[in-house]
Amino acid sequence: MSKRFIGVDLEGAEVRVALLQMVAGKIKVEFRRQEYETVEESRAALQEILAGRTALTDRMVTALPARVGLFRRLNFPFREKRKIEAALPLSLSAQLPVSLEDKLVSFLPPRPCDNDYEVDTVVVNKLEVADLLEHFPDADQNPGRIDIFPFALLPALGDQDGMLIYCRRVEVVVALIIQGRIEDYRLLPGTSEMKDEELFDFISQQVSQLEYAAEQKEMPLWVMGAGVTEPLYDYLQQAGRTMLALAPEVFEPELSREMAPAALLALAELRSSKAGQLNFRREEFAARGELEMVRPKLIVAGILLLLILFGGAASMHMNYLQKAAEQERMAAQINRIFREVVPTGAVVDIPLQMESLRQQLRTDVQMLGLDGRGAVAVLRELSAAISTDLRVEMQDFNYTADETRIAGSAESFDAVNQIAEVLAARQLFREVTITNARLAADNVRVDFEMRLTVATGRSS
């Protein structure tokens, strides 16, 4: 469900409601109005107009009449909100004829002025807010914000300069607006018994005075409110002033003057943030909202979530302890096996030491020739190649990966040559060289030395 912006204007014995809703990038507008005689009837009327309830995303706003507020423009040498809130009571007490006890204070964001900051501040009695909330069926939650006329209308009017004529049935407000800000305004309460000519005279006089003070001339007029009768509107038109339409980009040109305040309230809520507007839902009147209402359920859900997280953490910890114990058992087993393999020597890094032993064993295996080469293979070839008919005595055997040197004695030089020829014919040897052959000391046997170059290929 898309967010709705709801403006509520309570005046006399009539409630007027404007509902604005963003649909496909456009603003859908709907107006409702209903009369009432008692507070209970106004609650029922609002409940019926709002279809019984408001959604969590809805933003409802209403406004107090101008006559219940005291407006002051204060200057401060700082703009921080907390500092302004702390300094406001003292500054207001020096300028107001009433005590701030049982009062609510709200202010607009500060604006630079020379070397200071101007702060528009409004003070209202708490009883006015309490009486207004009596008309709403869900006062704890809605309206989410309570503003005050004519300040509540500013965001909807934009930055155009003009004079706002806001006539309620019991008061008239004439406000000078420049660049989206109220420079000054005049208020005439108790107008229910006044004639249209008298109201026009008051409005004309105040418009002239405000223009003169601001050095402005012939400013255009915004005219709205249920107190604007047709004769009064005709008088204003005949004065030769430009009559400005009320947010024509959103509302139809025929937006009625009675519904305009509610419509502009909703539009102002849509166009601006709460931080930039007045709000008298403060202190004991602060709106609770749906989230606060379901806080107990959220607390229970949070406790359950914490229990689940605690159970998961406990399970993970137990699993960690189990894995750690298993790791200790495996480490002890590795240490025991290492001790069996290497009964002596210091234990520094068992995996590294075991890898070193494996490499040494691999070198030894290659040396012995279990892969079809090596010393064992050479000895096997010598044993197979030398005939048993020859009387040969081996005295020295020197093996390397590339060649083997042997030394011994044979019966004669012919026997030595025969041995060399037979070995040269074997696949294991690429080359056989007699490096030395001489008659032995007994002048009977022949001592010889041979170099056997091992072939690079594997022997069959």
Side-chain angles (χ1 to χ4, degrees):
M1 179 181 292
S2 59
K3 180 185 297 185
R4 295 187 304 176
F5 298 87
I6 306 170
V8 180
D9 180 25
L10 288 161
E11 181 182 7
E14 188 175 47
V15 55
R16 309 180 193 97
V17 177
L19 298 96
L20 274 58
Q21 189 171 12
M22 296 295 297
V23 178
K26 296 183 179 180
I27 300 178
K28 178 183 176 182
V29 182
E30 184 179 358
F31 297 115
R32 304 281 183 85
R33 61 194 299 173
Q34 193 166 329
E35 294 183 354
Y36 65 90
E37 294 182 0
T38 64
V39 171
E40 289 75 14
E41 289 183 2
S42 68
R43 292 198 203 104
L46 277 172
Q47 193 165 9
E48 180 181 348
I49 290 173
L50 299 174
R53 65 183 300 274
T54 55
L56 180 62
T57 56
D58 288 345
R59 286 169 57 175
M60 182 187 297
V61 60
T62 189
L64 293 162
R67 67 179 183 278
V68 304
L70 294 174
F71 166 67
R72 292 294 183 273
R73 177 164 291 154
L74 306 176
N75 289 80
F76 296 100
F78 42 79
R79 61 178 300 173
E80 291 80 5
K81 181 179 178 181
R82 291 185 178 180
K83 291 183 179 180
I84 293 175
E85 288 178 343
L88 272 178
L90 183 62
S91 298
L92 287 173
S93 298
Q95 295 196 28
L96 292 179
V98 296
S99 171
L100 291 180
E101 187 177 359
D102 297 329
K103 302 293 190 300
L104 293 173
V105 180
S106 186
F107 59 92
L108 294 174
R111 292 192 177 190
C113 178
D114 297 331
N115 296 325
D116 293 333
Y117 294 94
E118 287 184 344
V119 179
D120 290 348
T121 308
V122 180
V123 179
V124 301
N125 195 305
K126 291 183 178 180
L127 292 177
E128 300 292 344
V129 177
D131 290 342
L132 180 63
L133 290 175
E134 286 291 325
H135 294 270
F136 290 85
D138 189 8
D140 287 338
Q141 180 182 348
N142 280 304
R145 190 172 66 85
I146 297 177
D147 210 314
I148 189 168
F149 292 114
F151 297 92
L153 307 174
L154 293 179
L157 297 177
D159 295 331
Q160 185 174 359
D161 298 345
M163 199 73 66
L164 173 64
I165 312 300
Y166 177 39
C167 298
R168 297 171 69 87
R169 291 195 173 98
V170 293
E171 68 178 14
V172 174
V173 177
V174 180
L176 172 64
I177 300 176
I178 297 179
Q179 296 181 353
R181 178 190 185 190
I182 293 180
E183 290 296 326
D184 198 0
Y185 72 93
R186 300 287 187 267
L187 169 67
L188 178 63
T191 59
S192 58
E193 302 298 328
M194 294 182 64
K195 297 179 180 180
D196 293 329
E197 294 85 349
E198 296 173 328
L199 292 176
F200 174 72
D201 290 340
F202 169 79
I203 293 172
S204 299
Q205 182 181 9
Q206 301 308 316
V207 167
S208 299
Q209 292 179 1
L210 290 171
E211 285 181 336
Y212 178 79
E215 298 181 353
Q216 301 286 334
K217 292 182 179 180
E218 300 299 323
M219 299 190 72
L221 305 181
W222 289 286
V223 180
M224 70 180 76
V228 180
T229 62
E230 288 300 327
L232 177 60
Y233 191 76
D234 291 338
Y235 288 145
L236 293 172
Q237 281 186 316
Q238 293 169 7
R241 299 274 181 157
T242 301
M243 309 297 283
L244 295 174
L246 300 170
E249 70 280 7
V250 177
F251 307 109
E252 297 295 332
E254 60 268 17
L255 174 64
S256 66
R257 292 184 290 272
E258 292 86 352
M259 295 302 301
L264 295 184
L265 275 176
L267 183 60
E269 190 72 4
L270 183 149
R271 286 181 171 176
S272 62
S273 64
K274 295 181 180 180
Q277 296 172 269
L278 297 174
N279 186 11
F280 294 99
R281 291 224 66 167
R282 306 167 63 87
E283 300 177 10
E284 65 266 33
F285 301 106
R288 293 179 59 193
E290 291 186 14
L291 289 178
E292 294 187 59
M293 294 180 179
V294 299
R295 181 178 294 176
K297 296 181 180 179
L298 293 177
I299 293 175
V300 173
I303 293 174
L304 292 176
L305 178 60
L306 289 176
L307 291 176
I308 292 173
L309 293 176
F310 178 77
S315 176
M316 292 175 63
H317 182 66
M318 294 299 295
N319 188 38
Y320 167 77
L321 294 178
Q322 182 179 358
K323 295 294 184 182
E326 184 178 353
Q327 182 182 7
E328 291 180 0
R329 288 195 298 271
M330 292 181 65
Q333 185 178 3
I334 291 173
N335 188 66
R336 178 178 56 79
I337 294 173
F338 181 77
R339 286 298 186 185
E340 292 177 355
V341 176
V342 186
T344 60
V347 178
V348 180
D349 189 335
I350 291 178
L352 187 60
Q353 289 176 285
M354 292 292 285
E355 177 64 21
S356 177
L357 288 174
R358 188 182 71 84
Q359 293 292 343
Q360 183 62 40
L361 288 173
R362 183 176 182 180
T363 303
D364 294 343
V365 166
Q366 291 178 350
M367 180 65 71
L368 291 174
L370 298 182
D371 58 349
R373 302 179 64 189
V376 173
V378 172
L379 288 174
R380 186 182 298 113
E381 290 294 320
L382 292 174
S383 176
I386 300 175
S387 174
T388 57
D389 295 336
L390 298 176
R391 295 179 62 188
V392 179
E393 181 180 350
M394 292 294 178
Q395 298 171 346
D396 189 22
F397 181 85
N398 188 356
Y399 172 82
T400 64
D402 297 327
E403 66 177 19
T404 302
R405 291 180 177 271
I406 61 175
S409 61
E411 296 176 340
S412 62
F413 287 101
D414 290 338
V416 174
N417 291 333
Q418 183 180 354
I419 294 172
E421 292 175 359
V422 172
L423 291 176
R426 308 294 290 190
Q427 294 182 3
L428 181 61
F429 306 113
R430 179 170 54 82
E431 183 181 358
V432 177
T433 305
I434 301 174
T435 58
N436 189 17
R438 63 183 181 278
L439 195 62
D442 59 1
N443 294 325
V444 176
R445 297 182 66 79
V446 175
D447 293 334
F448 66 90
E449 294 178 4
M450 290 185 185
R451 184 176 70 243
L452 311 176
T453 303
V454 180
T456 56
R458 184 184 178 91
S459 63
S460 58

Short mmCIF file of all heavy atoms in Angstrom, two decimals, residues 102 115 167 176 185 291 305 311 419:
data_model
loop_
_atom_site.label_atom_id
_atom_site.label_comp_id
_atom_site.label_asym_id
_atom_site.label_seq_id
_atom_site.Cartn_x
_atom_site.Cartn_y
_atom_site.Cartn_z
N ASP A 102 2.96 25.34 31.47
CA ASP A 102 1.83 24.75 30.75
C ASP A 102 1.76 25.21 29.30
O ASP A 102 0.67 25.29 28.71
CB ASP A 102 0.50 25.08 31.46
CG ASP A 102 0.43 24.49 32.85
OD1 ASP A 102 1.04 23.42 33.05
OD2 ASP A 102 -0.19 25.10 33.73
N ASN A 115 24.89 38.82 11.14
CA ASN A 115 25.85 37.93 11.81
C ASN A 115 25.17 36.95 12.75
O ASN A 115 25.86 36.21 13.46
CB ASN A 115 26.89 38.75 12.57
CG ASN A 115 27.74 39.60 11.65
OD1 ASN A 115 28.05 39.18 10.53
ND2 ASN A 115 28.12 40.79 12.10
N CYS A 167 -9.27 33.23 5.78
CA CYS A 167 -10.44 33.61 6.57
C CYS A 167 -11.13 32.36 7.10
O CYS A 167 -11.70 31.56 6.34
CB CYS A 167 -11.43 34.40 5.71
SG CYS A 167 -10.76 35.95 5.10
N LEU A 176 2.13 38.27 5.15
CA LEU A 176 3.06 38.64 4.08
C LEU A 176 4.09 37.52 3.93
O LEU A 176 4.82 37.21 4.87
CB LEU A 176 3.75 39.96 4.42
CG LEU A 176 4.89 40.38 3.49
CD1 LEU A 176 4.38 40.63 2.07
CD2 LEU A 176 5.61 41.61 4.04
N TYR A 185 2.54 38.91 9.98
CA TYR A 185 1.12 38.66 9.72
C TYR A 185 0.27 39.40 10.75
O TYR A 185 0.74 39.77 11.81
CB TYR A 185 0.82 37.16 9.70
CG TYR A 185 0.85 36.46 11.04
CD1 TYR A 185 -0.30 36.30 11.80
CD2 TYR A 185 2.04 35.95 11.54
CE1 TYR A 185 -0.28 35.64 13.02
CE2 TYR A 185 2.09 35.28 12.74
CZ TYR A 185 0.93 35.14 13.49
OH TYR A 185 0.97 34.50 14.70
N LEU A 291 4.54 1.31 15.94
CA LEU A 291 5.68 0.54 16.42
C LEU A 291 5.74 0.55 17.94
O LEU A 291 6.06 -0.47 18.56
CB LEU A 291 6.97 1.11 15.83
CG LEU A 291 7.19 0.86 14.33
CD1 LEU A 291 8.47 1.52 13.88
CD2 LEU A 291 7.24 -0.64 14.05
N LEU A 305 14.58 -14.31 19.98
CA LEU A 305 15.72 -14.28 19.06
C LEU A 305 17.03 -14.42 19.83
O LEU A 305 17.95 -15.15 19.39
CB LEU A 305 15.71 -12.96 18.28
CG LEU A 305 16.87 -12.74 17.30
CD1 LEU A 305 16.89 -13.85 16.25
CD2 LEU A 305 16.77 -11.38 16.65
N GLY A 311 21.38 -20.31 22.00
CA GLY A 311 21.43 -21.76 21.75
C GLY A 311 22.36 -22.10 20.61
O GLY A 311 23.13 -23.06 20.68
N ILE A 419 83.93 -59.37 -20.95
CA ILE A 419 83.00 -58.76 -19.98
C ILE A 419 82.51 -57.41 -20.49
O ILE A 419 81.32 -57.06 -20.42
CB ILE A 419 83.70 -58.62 -18.61
CG1 ILE A 419 83.98 -60.00 -18.01
CG2 ILE A 419 82.84 -57.78 -17.66
CD1 ILE A 419 84.84 -59.97 -16.76
#
